[in-house]
Amino acid sequence: MTNTELLAIFRTEVSDLEAPYLWSDVLVYGYIDEAQKQFCRDTYGIEDARTHKVTVVAATEWYTLSPKVLKIRGAVDAATGAGVSLVAVENMADNGMRFDGRTGPLSALITGLEKGKVRAWPVPNVASTVQLHVFRLPGDMATGDEFEIDDQHVRNLLYWVKYRAYSVQDSETYDKQSAARNKADHEAYCARAKDEQSRRMHTAGCVAYGGY
């Protein structure tokens, strides 16, 4: 399904079929884009093992992650396939790790020090590329784009779209009760979807590591 098709369903469900519309196409497209992102924030997000990398440079410790990354699940050396440890800063001492200026090939990425960043340990003395396995947000949608989330979730994005639409401070569109009901429906649906995603990952034997 495309966002244009979902917009048409929205207009049918809220009886907004004739121009001039209560909610413009531009406004609803924005809500649809926002809804897909919010769905990913309220679940685990989109599994991605190919898009995001850390290009490690000798003598450089800090690396910025894409703002689309919600959580790092794993990391491997792109050249060798060897795993690169993900260690939360709180667990460094238990692993005999500290920032003491030691140098060497990258052994771990330290998470939790700063939002959206990881720190290499030890200080790298050789360049490498680390492939990240992540949960991420979707990209921005243009008119007519298909969704990145699974098809079975798409129509349920309308809970969030309607919540935003009925929250518009206008005498013709504002409906506090409808907004609250649709927001609650969105939250309930996301909770079920997250449980389903958890069961699927558990069945596959997948281990999710702590994020940054």
Side-chain angles (χ1 to χ4, degrees):
M1 184 183 295
T2 68
N3 56 356
T4 300
E5 292 169 324
L6 190 64
L7 182 148
I9 294 171
F10 166 80
R11 293 212 179 281
T12 297
E13 292 190 356
V14 300
S15 300
D16 189 26
L17 297 171
E18 296 184 6
Y21 299 120
L22 293 174
W23 298 278
S24 70
D25 283 355
V26 171
L27 190 65
V28 180
Y29 275 127
Y31 291 159
I32 290 172
D33 180 66
E34 180 183 304
Q36 183 177 217
K37 292 184 173 74
Q38 190 64 43
F39 174 82
C40 290
R41 290 189 181 97
D42 290 338
T43 58
Y44 285 105
I46 298 168
E47 300 98 327
D48 190 335
R50 293 186 287 180
T51 303
H52 296 278
K53 300 177 177 67
V54 173
T55 302
V56 177
V57 179
T60 300
E61 293 183 80
W62 288 94
Y63 298 90
T64 300
L65 301 173
S66 165
K68 291 182 181 178
V69 173
L70 293 169
K71 186 174 186 177
I72 306 174
R73 306 172 66 198
V76 297
D77 186 296
T80 66
V84 176
S85 296
L86 296 169
V87 179
V89 61
E90 295 85 359
N91 297 328
M92 286 185 67
D94 291 340
N95 286 279
M97 303 164 73
R98 60 181 178 178
F99 297 120
D100 56 5
R102 172 184 168 184
T103 63
L106 177 71
S107 177
L109 295 174
I110 310 302
T111 65
L113 287 162
E114 293 186 13
K115 182 178 179 181
K117 294 181 183 296
V118 291
R119 187 172 179 178
W121 187 90
V123 180
N125 61 2
V126 293
S128 62
T129 300
V130 178
Q131 185 75 53
L132 300 179
H133 302 166
V134 305
F135 289 120
R136 65 167 175 84
L137 293 172
D140 296 336
M141 299 189 79
T143 301
D145 277 355
E146 294 187 351
F147 293 87
E148 292 189 66
I149 62 173
D150 291 341
D151 290 343
Q152 71 266 26
H153 300 308
V154 170
R155 284 195 64 147
N156 295 282
L157 296 179
L158 288 180
Y159 291 133
W160 185 266
V161 176
K162 291 175 184 177
Y163 156 64
R164 295 287 282 123
Y166 286 126
S167 297
V168 174
Q169 297 292 314
D170 181 275
S171 60
E172 293 186 284
T173 59
Y174 182 66
D175 186 331
K176 183 178 180 180
Q177 290 185 338
S178 292
R181 183 177 64 252
N182 278 283
K183 185 178 182 184
D185 287 343
H186 163 85
E187 291 169 350
Y189 182 80
C190 288
R192 294 195 301 272
K194 189 172 184 178
D195 285 344
E196 178 184 310
Q197 196 173 10
S198 293
R199 289 194 299 271
R200 187 173 71 245
M201 288 188 295
H202 179 74
T203 301
C206 189
V207 177
Y209 292 85
Y212 52 85

